[in-house]
Amino acid sequence: MHLATLARHTLSRGATPAATYTLIARLGHQPLPTARAVCLALGIPLAETVRRLADCHDALLAAPRPDSEQDTGELLEALGVFDVPKSLTDTERTVVEHFLVAVEAMGGIRPGHHHGLQRWFTTGNLTAAYLSLAAARPLPRTGDPTRYWASLVTAGELLAATLPSDHRIRYALTHCRTRATCL
């Protein structure tokens, strides 16, 4: 059976991408083709799949340790290798642009926070990205608080207009407005 077909079948039975990787790798298949098959089964375009796997090939896929299939699958999932890209609407792209302005205005961002934001942008989980940025703040010496909070207020207004029933967004928007006016 073709690996992508096996991966698609496994995913259709409710397995996570990490569990799908683990199952196929434990059947004796090499890590790189297995990871590629899971990505393709998820509908990730081949060019994007190749780029993602090249980024982690040396660290995770080149020389697998015995019995490490589950750990490798979970790491690939945590790194976002299996994240399915979502096509964003014009409004969503505008929201992401405001988020990027806010990230720049932070004056520095922790790598883990940056990684999480990138994953949320890829998957279209803009609510999580907004809540995360609203809970953060610009750095005292290098950040630009005025620009940071203004960009989050604008992004929040756009999100609140498209997701009016999400109370979390309205609460975070109120928080961002308060921070913007307290400067």
Side-chain angles (χ1 to χ4, degrees):
M1 182 181 281
H2 189 265
L3 288 182
T5 304
L6 179 57
R8 229 180 330 279
H9 174 72
T10 305
L11 290 165
S12 74
R13 309 287 278 171
T16 65
T20 301
Y21 173 89
T22 301
L23 173 74
I24 296 171
R26 285 187 176 158
L27 292 174
H29 297 285
Q30 292 299 309
L32 181 61
T34 300
R36 184 182 311 114
V38 174
C39 288
L40 295 175
L42 289 166
I44 299 168
L46 179 60
E48 178 64 12
T49 295
V50 169
R51 185 195 65 74
R52 291 180 186 191
L53 295 176
D55 287 347
C56 64
H57 180 267
D58 292 343
L60 291 175
L61 304 173
R65 293 184 336 267
D67 300 320
S68 66
E69 298 90 357
Q70 182 174 355
D71 293 339
T72 301
E74 289 172 0
L75 277 169
L76 290 169
E77 193 167 282
L79 290 171
V81 171
F82 300 140
D83 286 351
V84 178
K86 178 187 181 267
S87 294
L88 301 178
T89 65
D90 290 339
T91 301
E92 290 170 330
R93 280 193 295 278
T94 302
V95 169
V96 170
E97 288 172 14
H98 287 289
F99 288 163
L100 294 173
V101 169
V103 168
E104 183 180 304
M106 282 180 97
I109 187 168
R110 294 183 336 273
H113 192 189
H114 186 264
H115 175 71
L117 289 170
Q118 290 301 321
R119 290 189 70 192
W120 292 324
F121 297 165
T122 299
T123 60
N125 190 349
L126 302 185
T127 298
Y130 184 67
L131 297 175
S132 172
L133 287 168
R137 66 183 92 131
L139 295 174
R141 287 187 283 176
T142 57
D144 181 348
T146 302
R147 205 164 119 225
Y148 182 77
W149 295 113
S151 64
L152 289 182
V153 166
T154 304
E157 289 169 346
L158 290 168
L159 283 173
T162 57
L163 302 167
S165 63
D166 195 327
H167 303 291
R168 299 170 305 161
I169 291 174
R170 287 193 310 224
Y171 176 78
L173 176 57
T174 301
H175 169 73
C176 292
R177 283 181 177 145
T178 301
R179 298 297 297 221
T181 58
C182 292
L183 297 173

